[in-house]
Amino acid sequence: MKNYDLVIVGGGPAGLAAAVSARDNGIESILIIERDKELGGILNQCIHNGFGLHTFKEELTGPEYAARFAAQVYERNIEYKLNTMVMDINDDKVVTAMNREDGMFQIQAKAVILAMGCRERSRGALNIPGYRPAGIYSAGTAQRLVNMEGFMPGKKCVILGSGDIGLIMARRMTLEGAKVEVVAELMPYSGGLKRNIVQCLDDFGIPLKLSHTVIDIEGKERVEAITIAEVGPDRKPIPGTEIRYECDTLLLSCGLLPENELSRSAGVNLSPITSGPVVNDSLETNIDGIFACGNVLHVHDLVDYVSQEATTAGKNAANYIKNGKNAEAKEVKIYPEGGVRYTVPATIRPSEMDDTLTVRFRVADVYKNHAICTYFDNELISKRKRPVMAPGEMEQVILTKAKLAEYPELDRITITLEEA
């Protein structure tokens, strides 16, 4: 069995940034395991721009952003294995993986960083009545076909779901000469970034119908038509609101799920809200020495935040490998309330954390003229007004070590929304 100080599962933006950070913090023995044939993860098929504004202070495409981090990995001679699938991680941090060259093999790691990213919510989970003809794709599959394989999924399409990938594919299909009839969204708000609604739908005259869903799919060999209908507050279709569109393609952009089968088999506690691991301020899970970052932890809206989070995870994993864990450190739980769905991290250890800590979260609905309030026990510590908050955009609160030091007896931190 081979030994490595640090094994990183996933060679996408999170895995690459974590590896670079761990090496820069003194860890020499690092292995990145990636199941695809190249590093960069999902960014390789995201050929649109808008990446890197925070990290590199310039606008890059997905492949350009990935290439910059891959170059940093090459410069540092960090070892990586491509076309390699991790089958299992146990709580002793033994990683079982397989590929064509080595067959099945095991690695003993001192620490593991989970950076497997996320996958699209499958149509099977959506229960749409009608036939199951050709021409139904997830938005990410269609993106790969158009941008990497050079295939067009169809000529006339309907998109269900207004997540960022669905919005971007509405624009992409239009630019490639297809007609996008409509984007239907079950919820009364879009799941994507505001700028994507403007740049991908409004600029191309593509209608977005909120509180609508697909109720019928016609066609036996290939999709021939899609019927959508308005839904009420109970999310059930309202009779008489049906609209039928003739089309040959249905793209599904119905949300993303963190890829956590490996985490579950390793015994990592998962959040019922995010489906990602529950972590502390070091981004460490309930199992000593197993860390998580990026979209496997919770689905991010910007890749720049993925890289920031992964850099933190790499640094903390390096610290764990060199110094172990302080089991005596007091943990304080963060309680999300009043419209805050969850927080990452879920707990903090004031004595162990950095000088500042970014707590990220999403809200449950669209809120106008509200404030993000942070309480230490029952005392209001900060109140930040926000004109609009929506589930499609991540929010954050910054905690400082200096402020926490003023409350040595602190029992709980509450982050909530209140009217401004």
Side-chain angles (χ1 to χ4, degrees), residues 401-418:
K401 190 166 186 166
K403 190 70 182 170
L404 284 157
E406 296 172 21
Y407 296 82
E409 302 302 313
L410 182 63
D411 195 39
R412 63 180 279 159
I413 296 169
T414 307
I415 297 176
T416 184
L417 305 182
E418 295 176 4

Side-chain angles (χ1 to χ4, degrees), residues 158-164 166-167 182-192 197 201 207-214 228-232 235 251-255 391-392:
V158 168
I159 299 177
L160 174 61
S162 62
D164 287 314
L167 299 174
V182 67
V183 176
E185 169 59 59
L186 178 69
M187 305 303 277
Y189 49 80
S190 167
I197 296 169
L201 300 187
L208 170 63
K209 290 193 177 292
L210 300 173
S211 298
H212 279 72
T213 193
V214 172
I228 69 170
E230 192 175 344
V231 297
R235 312 265 185 271
L251 300 188
L252 303 166
S253 173
C254 303

Side-chain angles (χ1 to χ4, degrees), residues 102-218:
D102 308 310
M104 181 106 55
F105 60 94
Q106 288 191 311
I107 297 164
Q108 176 67 63
K110 291 182 184 171
V112 174
I113 295 180
L114 306 171
M116 292 89 72
C118 58
R119 63 165 185 260
E120 293 181 276
R121 204 182 289 276
S122 70
R123 175 160 180 270
L126 301 175
N127 301 329
I128 302 169
Y131 287 105
R132 297 291 181 269
I136 302 171
Y137 300 89
S138 71
T141 303
Q143 186 181 50
R144 187 177 178 95
L145 287 172
V146 175
N147 293 348
M148 295 184 79
E149 315 287 343
F151 292 113
M152 267 300 276
K155 294 283 196 314
K156 285 177 82 173
C157 73
V158 168
I159 299 177
L160 174 61
S162 62
D164 287 314
I165 307 172
L167 299 174
I168 285 160
M169 280 312 292
R171 174 177 65 182
R172 191 79 188 93
M173 294 289 282
T174 305
L175 291 173
E176 286 296 337
K179 171 91 170 76
V180 179
E181 298 286 350
V182 67
V183 176
E185 169 59 59
L186 178 69
M187 305 303 277
Y189 49 80
S190 167
L193 292 167
K194 180 70 179 160
R195 71 176 192 212
N196 283 338
I197 296 169
V198 173
Q199 292 171 7
C200 300
L201 300 187
D202 299 355
D203 289 358
F204 293 91
I206 299 167
L208 170 63
K209 290 193 177 292
L210 300 173
S211 298
H212 279 72
T213 193
V214 172
I215 60 163
D216 191 29
I217 297 169
E218 295 173 41

Side-chain angles (χ1 to χ4, degrees), residues 282-412:
S282 290
L283 302 178
E284 188 177 14
T285 66
N286 58 301
I287 295 179
D288 282 5
I290 296 186
F291 298 79
C293 59
N295 282 352
V296 80
L297 185 52
H298 58 139
V299 176
H300 292 63
D301 47 3
L302 297 180
V303 73
D304 301 78
Y305 295 156
V306 168
S307 301
Q308 285 173 18
E309 199 174 83
T311 299
T312 303
K315 183 179 123 188
N316 291 329
N319 186 43
Y320 172 86
I321 292 163
K322 290 188 284 193
N323 306 317
K325 182 176 180 176
N326 178 5
E328 306 298 309
K330 179 189 173 186
E331 275 204 332
V332 179
K333 193 167 177 204
I334 303 176
Y335 290 84
E337 290 181 3
V340 177
R341 291 190 68 220
Y342 67 88
T343 65
V344 170
T347 60
I348 63 165
R349 298 160 306 157
S351 63
E352 304 298 300
M353 65 180 258
D354 289 337
D355 293 339
T356 61
L357 175 72
T358 304
V359 179
R360 294 199 166 95
F361 62 90
R362 287 183 190 267
V363 295
D365 205 341
V366 177
Y367 294 91
K368 293 187 175 176
N369 297 320
H370 273 63
I372 301 169
C373 298
T374 308
Y375 288 87
F376 286 2
D377 291 330
N378 294 317
E379 188 179 335
L380 179 64
I381 297 300
S382 69
K383 182 172 184 172
R384 186 161 56 91
K385 291 181 183 175
R386 299 279 283 120
V388 180
M389 287 179 278
E393 310 215 8
M394 225 152 55
E395 300 291 341
Q396 61 185 41
V397 163
I398 294 178
L399 300 177
T400 65
K401 190 166 186 166
K403 190 70 182 170
L404 284 157
E406 296 172 21
Y407 296 82
E409 302 302 313
L410 182 63
D411 195 39
R412 63 180 279 159

